[in-house]
Amino acid sequence: MAKRRSNSRPTISDVASLAGVGAITVSRALREPQKVSPALRKVIDDAIRQLNYVPDLNARALASKRSDVVAVLIPSLTQSVFSDVVRGIYDGLADSPLRIEVANTGYDPDIEENLVSRIVRHQPAAIIVSGTDQSATTRQMLENAGCPVVQIMDLSDNPIQQIIGFSHEEAGYQMTRHLVQQGYRRIAFLTAWLSTRSSGRLHGYKRALDEANLYDASLLVQRGSASTTPPPIAEQGGRSFLSAQMGKELMYEALERHPDIDAVFCNNDVLALGALFACQSLGVHVPGRLGIAGFNDFDYMEAAHPPLSSVRIHRWRCGYEAMTAVRHRLDGGEIDQAVIDIGFDIMERESTLRAKPLPASAATIGMAVSD
């Protein structure tokens, strides 16, 4: 056997020569170990360790015309909602040779379109993208990407390939229904700006109140424009629209405009926390005088005083199942289920629980008890 130069990087041919097999067999053992016998894998693994061989991922990508990268597009790097999703994706990676590259769309369809255009040119192994509100051009690029595409954090009857998430509208409906059943009659909806996904919560809120003959369009309290793209941080004085301070200001505004409101459903938890701070500063008792509910169910909702009700969404599980679906497809599996609804939970806590809740049957036909 020819001796390898000591100053050269070991190659797959060096591993094959030391293991006594062909280079194709080594390549198969690296990419599809399940297709190589355990005994042969051990021989190859021993040769790899002896030579300190590190696979050249770029060369492998060129050879296969497909990279080892799973591109993940999310709308925010600062929101814990999506950091939990990404953590689930990484946990789903486990011992896979795949790599994750995360891109931030900033809730901007033009940025998302540009990112997808660049991503598909590099022929990723798979793409995970948040939501269903892609532009027509972006959707077409994803449909023609030639790799597994999984949409997450929402539901659709017409996914690009496969979608894993939950219904924002149904979640908003169920939380609002809970408030109605507790006897609340003047229920405001607090939000800063509304993304396409989170606007589903508003639709669910409206549906539940329509059913109970309680809907009042003026009880939508919103800061900023109706745009689905948040204003740039620079235009906000460096402050995010998703802040407890914003929730506090929205609560003050809601009480000033509608002194008779008796509950608020906040578009996210941080706004709900700010609303609670506002009530505490004004001496407004929660839940006796006013109920507060949020959305996402972060840890601080249970730790607040009083504990705050919220919609619990399964962020980590969504990311983990998305990566599991990607790996299944890359291993040659078919799409078993195009739409996977992982659901949500209504976490009923002290902030919305009244001593004499309204019976479910009465809520359905619009009856209510007075304070």
Side-chain angles (χ1 to χ4, degrees), residues 85-295:
V85 172
V86 172
R87 182 167 57 86
I89 291 173
Y90 272 102
D91 287 347
L93 198 64
D95 58 351
S96 167
L98 297 168
R99 296 179 292 133
I100 303 296
E101 289 189 4
V102 179
N104 177 19
T105 68
Y107 291 97
D108 190 318
D110 293 332
I111 292 177
E112 183 177 62
E113 188 173 306
N114 181 265
L115 286 169
V116 170
S117 175
R118 291 177 354 199
I119 287 168
V120 296
R121 287 201 299 268
H122 288 86
Q123 297 184 293
I127 301 173
I128 297 174
V129 58
S130 181
T132 61
D133 55 340
Q134 290 77 31
S135 69
T137 299
T138 298
R139 183 180 177 98
Q140 184 175 29
M141 287 190 291
L142 291 171
E143 288 173 341
N144 298 328
C147 67
V149 175
V150 180
Q151 294 163 283
I152 59 173
M153 297 297 284
D154 208 341
L155 291 180
S156 170
D157 293 332
N158 184 33
I160 294 170
Q161 291 180 12
Q162 188 173 24
I163 189 165
I164 301 172
F166 65 98
S167 169
H168 290 261
E169 179 174 348
E170 185 63 21
Y173 171 82
Q174 293 296 344
M175 177 53 83
T176 307
R177 183 172 170 78
H178 160 69
L179 293 172
V180 171
Q181 290 173 350
Q182 287 297 311
Y184 297 105
R185 301 184 62 179
R186 296 284 288 167
I187 305 168
F189 189 92
L190 305 190
T191 185
W193 58 277
L194 282 167
S195 70
T196 303
R197 284 183 293 282
S198 62
S199 64
R201 305 166 199 172
L202 177 60
H203 296 153
Y205 156 88
K206 180 180 183 300
R207 178 160 63 95
L209 293 183
D210 274 339
E211 287 182 1
N213 297 320
L214 296 173
Y215 180 67
D216 180 347
S218 71
L219 295 184
L220 168 62
V221 181
Q222 181 175 9
R223 183 66 54 84
S225 70
S227 170
T228 58
T229 302
I233 292 293
E235 294 181 10
Q236 305 170 42
R239 189 183 71 178
S240 170
F241 258 42
L242 299 177
S243 68
Q245 180 62 31
M246 178 60 66
K248 193 173 182 180
E249 293 172 5
L250 286 169
M251 187 74 256
Y252 286 147
E253 181 179 343
L255 288 169
E256 182 178 356
R257 285 168 47 186
H258 305 284
D260 62 334
I261 61 171
D262 57 5
V264 292
F265 179 16
C266 301
N267 193 33
N268 56 64
D269 284 348
V270 71
L271 295 181
L273 192 64
L276 176 63
F277 293 158
C279 288
Q280 290 172 340
S281 70
L282 294 172
V284 174
H285 183 263
V286 177
R289 164 64 182 84
L290 190 141
I292 299 176
F295 196 102

Side-chain angles (χ1 to χ4, degrees), residues 178 180-183 353-360 369:
H178 160 69
V180 171
Q181 290 173 350
Q182 287 297 311
L353 296 180
R354 282 182 158 178
K356 296 181 179 180
L358 183 66
V369 295

Side-chain angles (χ1 to χ4, degrees), residues 60-78:
R60 285 169 58 185
L62 288 172
S64 66
K65 301 188 183 302
R66 181 67 58 187
S67 78
D68 294 308
V69 170
V70 175
V72 178
L73 289 93
I74 58 174
S76 174
L77 294 176
T78 58

